[in-house]
């Protein structure tokens, strides 16, 4: 049964949460503003991500946008209404925490992208584990065109694509299309617009049919090992894999395979 989370009426209008069979869909809901990341929306995202992190029943998360696009970055009008450096430092810090919370979630997070994903919206997509994009989707870190280098989006972007390509996007502000984003590694799958819903559903189904223990062990291992020296990464991964081997789901899966062979 599909349920909408009504716990937080103060932020409900900017973020819609739907829960179904262990899958949480978070829909950015500021369609008249291309789902820009206002303070209220960042707060709503952080609260839901914190909840999900503590919920062992969640198997996968999908982040989507309502209206004509995924997300156009920060709310510039709101930002200019608070022209203090301390305000901007706090805002970018809170945005960075949301992005890190996505990476830290113990389950896969899929960005479902249509329309545009620009600046912090591109950062949001790049922070997700998988990005499934409509063929018409476009990506950019275009702050430079306004005199603002997209420094915080650069963190996620430069960890998703080659540094020279990331830097090119950052200093030109140029858009790349979905096929280019796929070739560069920012996007994991491109489908036609009318196939986007089904493609996301198919990916979710493939993930949720796997062992939840294995998925959680895997995500907890994947990102930290990328920052380690080779020998440390193998030692860390070996410890995680040994612990995973002790799970009943792994024991049953391997014994079942051996029994068939």
């Amino acid at each position: 049964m599909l349920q909408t989370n009504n716990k937080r009426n103060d932020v409900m209008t900017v973020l819609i949460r739907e829960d179904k069979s262990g899958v949480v869909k978070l829909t950015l809901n500021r369609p008249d503003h291309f789902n820009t990341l206002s303070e209220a929306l960042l707060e709503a995202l952080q609260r839901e991500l914190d909840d999900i992190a503590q919920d062992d029943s969640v198997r996968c998360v999908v982040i989507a946008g309502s209206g004509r696009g995924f997300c156009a970055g920060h709310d510039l009008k709101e930002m200019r209404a608070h022209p203090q450096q301390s305000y901007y430092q706090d805002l970018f810090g809170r945005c960075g925490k949301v992005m890190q919370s996505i990476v830290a979630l113990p389950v896969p997070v899929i960005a479902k992208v249509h329309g545009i994903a620009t600046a912090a919206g591109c950062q949001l997509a790049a922070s997700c584990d998988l990005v499934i994009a409509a063929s018409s989707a476009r990506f950019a870190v275009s702050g430079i065109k306004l005199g603002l280098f997209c420094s915080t989006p650069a963190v996620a972007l430069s960890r998703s694509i080659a540094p020279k390509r990331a830097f090119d996007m950052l200093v030109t502000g140029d858009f790349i299309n979905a096929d280019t984003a796929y070739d560069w590694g920012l996007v994991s799958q491109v489908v036609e617009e009318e196939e986007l819903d089904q493609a996301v559903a198919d990916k979710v189904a493939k993930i949720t049919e796997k062992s939840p223990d294995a998925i959680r062990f895997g995500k907890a291992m994947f990102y930290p090992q990328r920052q380690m020296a080779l020998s440390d990464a193998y030692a860390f991964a070996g410890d995680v894999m040994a612990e995973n081997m002790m799970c009943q789901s792994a024991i049953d899966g391997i014994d079942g395979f051996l029994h068939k062979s």
Side-chain angles (χ1 to χ4, degrees):
M1 176 179 236
L2 186 67
Q3 294 182 332
T4 300
N5 189 337
N6 291 309
K7 293 179 186 177
R8 304 173 187 84
N9 292 328
D10 58 328
V11 295
M12 179 63 190
T13 56
V14 296
L15 182 69
I16 298 172
R17 173 173 172 166
E18 298 169 307
D19 295 71
K20 184 179 181 182
S21 304
V23 179
V24 176
K25 182 179 180 182
L26 300 176
T27 303
L28 314 181
N29 192 39
R30 303 187 73 214
D32 294 339
H33 303 275
F34 276 95
N35 302 312
T36 49
L37 298 175
S38 63
E39 292 183 70
L41 181 48
L42 285 172
E43 179 185 356
L45 277 168
Q46 189 64 62
R47 288 180 180 179
E48 295 300 345
L49 293 170
D50 288 346
D51 272 2
I52 293 166
Q54 303 301 317
D55 189 346
D56 292 338
S57 70
V58 176
R59 302 288 309 280
C60 187
V61 176
V62 176
I63 299 179
S66 61
R68 294 176 293 163
F70 178 69
C71 178
H74 285 289
D75 187 325
L76 297 178
K77 185 175 181 180
E78 185 179 75
M79 290 170 63
R80 287 298 298 132
H82 301 85
Q84 298 89 31
Q85 185 170 341
S86 59
Y87 171 83
Y88 298 141
Q89 288 174 324
D90 178 69
L91 177 67
F92 296 140
R94 281 185 285 145
C95 184
K97 184 180 178 182
V98 166
M99 306 303 167
Q100 292 175 79
S101 295
I102 291 171
V103 176
L105 278 185
V107 297
V109 182
I110 301 171
K112 176 186 173 185
V113 179
H114 74 293
I116 61 170
T118 57
C122 186
Q123 177 186 8
L124 178 60
S127 297
C128 294
D129 304 301
L130 298 170
V131 179
I132 301 179
S135 57
S136 57
R138 298 189 301 153
F139 301 80
V141 276
S142 48
I144 196 69
K145 294 185 176 182
L146 306 176
L148 179 67
F149 192 89
C150 283
S151 296
T152 47
V155 175
L157 185 65
S158 65
R159 283 163 170 76
S160 295
I161 67 177
K164 286 182 172 57
R165 285 174 169 166
F167 195 76
D168 190 312
M169 289 180 68
L170 288 158
V171 296
T172 65
D174 289 345
F175 277 93
I176 59 172
N177 62 28
D179 288 334
T180 300
Y182 175 78
D183 289 340
W184 289 6
L186 178 59
V187 166
S188 47
Q189 185 178 355
V190 178
V191 298
E192 294 304 314
E193 188 96 29
E194 62 272 16
E195 298 171 357
L196 185 56
D197 288 344
Q198 189 59 53
V200 172
D202 290 345
K203 188 67 68 177
V204 167
K206 284 187 177 182
I207 291 170
T208 55
E209 71 183 8
K210 306 301 190 298
S211 161
D213 290 329
I215 293 289
R216 285 172 176 260
F217 274 117
K219 183 166 178 182
M221 177 280 302
F222 183 77
Y223 292 105
Q225 63 84 23
R226 295 183 69 226
Q227 310 301 320
M228 298 176 183
L230 187 62
S231 60
D232 293 336
Y234 271 112
F236 173 61
D239 287 344
V240 172
M241 201 165 184
E243 188 176 357
N244 189 176
M245 277 291 296
M246 302 306 295
C247 291
Q248 194 61 48
S249 59
I251 293 169
D252 292 343
I254 293 170
D255 287 351
F257 173 79
L258 294 174
H259 181 71
K260 290 179 182 178
S261 61

